Amino acid sequence: MPTAAAKSTVTADDDSQSRSIAAVERAMDVLLYFGRSGHPDLGVTEIATALGLTKAAVHRILTALRSRDLITVDPVTRRYALGHAAVSLGRAYLARTDLRAMAAPELRLLAERTGETATLSLRRGDTRLYVDQVVPDQELRMEVTLGIPYPLHAGGSSKAFLAFLSDSEVDAYLDRHPLQPLTDKTVTDPAKLRKELAAIRKRGYATSLGERQAGAASIAAPVFDHDGHVVAVLSVAGPAARFKPEGSGNAQELVAAAARISEQLGYVA
């Protein structure tokens, strides 16, 4: 039978372990707050207020994080920012990021909720290509060919890439490429295309009615990386006779799915 002294030791050990775990959790909360705050640097009071901690506790945590180079401090302003060790962790995560694997659950969800084909596109130079799709169980449905390059001016996914490039990149693209039609619905007037790109940027998604493929309708939204660059595009597409790109909440579903992937890549809106 355990003695009273033994029970006391076990209880003390359990209490110590619980306190250690709680301290680690608070330190993680502080570190993660730097990632989601949207500010390049933070003060002790800001952190304490946001997380419901005392300033003394925050200061102790920051001191510990500084000792591992996870946090750095400006000696003049006494404001704190992420250190190079934290940046290295982020880069290591991004280096192993597989966009197809990351997007796969969102594609399945989009196909299930919309009843149409959900796709993932990546950019390759002045073209973009489908790299994955989830096709619904319908007799009449859209299917895309993976790996075929398409120009950046024709279709929803293509325009979603082009719209979120810088003005200089759009100018360079238009200088290099005459706007050749893929169907009789493809936008081939540079002025009209620029106007549409501005509208896409404003609302956050692109639509297409037969611009890349006759009889097809689609809606597409960009995925951004931690630097705010568009790195992929999600799209939902279906037969134009049935699928209404902006109907039944399709835009909201799509934009939300793209935002969730962007968040995983470190993008802060």
Side-chain angles (χ1 to χ4, degrees):
M1 176 180 295
T3 65
K7 289 181 178 179
S8 177
T9 301
V10 170
T11 301
D13 287 345
D14 288 344
D15 288 345
S16 177
Q17 184 177 22
S18 296
R19 286 194 297 271
S20 296
I21 292 173
V24 171
E25 289 176 341
R26 286 194 296 271
M28 288 190 294
D29 287 341
V30 169
L31 189 60
L32 292 171
Y33 184 64
F34 278 88
R36 68 173 186 270
S37 71
H39 300 292
D41 54 29
L42 296 167
V44 171
T45 301
E46 294 172 70
I47 300 169
T49 301
L51 299 180
L53 300 172
T54 66
K55 290 193 286 186
V58 170
H59 191 270
R60 287 195 299 271
I61 291 169
L62 291 171
T63 299
L65 294 174
R66 283 181 62 201
S67 72
R68 295 295 187 268
D69 294 321
L70 290 164
I71 293 294
T72 186
V73 63
D74 186 310
V76 176
T77 65
R78 302 303 300 171
R79 292 180 67 81
Y80 295 81
L82 290 175
H84 66 80
V87 175
S88 296
L89 287 175
R91 286 174 177 166
Y93 168 74
L94 292 174
R96 62 177 292 278
T97 297
D98 182 342
L99 265 172
R100 286 185 61 186
M102 188 179 290
E106 298 293 350
L107 294 182
R108 290 193 294 269
L109 185 63
L110 283 170
E112 176 185 337
R113 290 184 173 177
T114 64
E116 303 293 354
T117 299
T119 73
L120 173 70
S121 291
L122 299 180
R123 182 185 169 195
R124 291 293 181 267
D126 285 349
T127 66
R128 64 94 189 169
L129 55 145
Y130 295 111
V131 296
D132 204 2
Q133 67 179 321
V134 174
V135 181
D137 185 19
Q138 295 209 59
E139 185 174 354
L140 180 62
R141 60 195 184 189
M142 290 290 303
E143 288 192 50
V144 300
T145 303
L146 303 184
I148 301 297
Y150 296 105
L152 293 181
H153 67 277
S157 293
S158 292
K159 290 186 298 182
F161 273 110
L162 196 60
F164 292 93
L165 298 180
S166 67
D167 290 340
S168 61
E169 289 176 299
V170 173
D171 290 341
Y173 177 83
L174 294 177
D175 287 341
R176 289 192 297 267
H177 301 283
L179 301 183
Q180 300 291 345
L182 299 188
T183 72
D184 60 0
K185 301 291 187 180
T186 305
V187 179
T188 57
D189 182 313
K192 184 178 179 181
L193 180 62
R194 288 180 189 277
K195 184 177 180 179
E196 184 168 355
L197 296 179
I200 292 168
R201 284 193 295 273
K202 184 175 181 179
R203 66 175 178 257
Y205 60 86
T207 60
S208 171
L209 292 174
E211 294 177 27
R212 183 191 65 81
Q213 181 178 352
S218 69
I219 183 169
V223 173
F224 300 103
D225 67 7
H226 62 291
D227 288 324
H229 298 140
V230 56
V231 292
V233 166
L234 293 185
S235 174
V236 176
R242 179 182 69 217
F243 179 57
K244 307 306 177 189
E246 296 182 275
S248 304
N250 293 324
Q252 292 86 345
E253 292 278 4
L254 180 65
V255 170
R260 287 190 291 269
I261 300 174
S262 297
E263 184 177 0
Q264 292 182 65
L265 293 173
Y267 175 67
V268 178

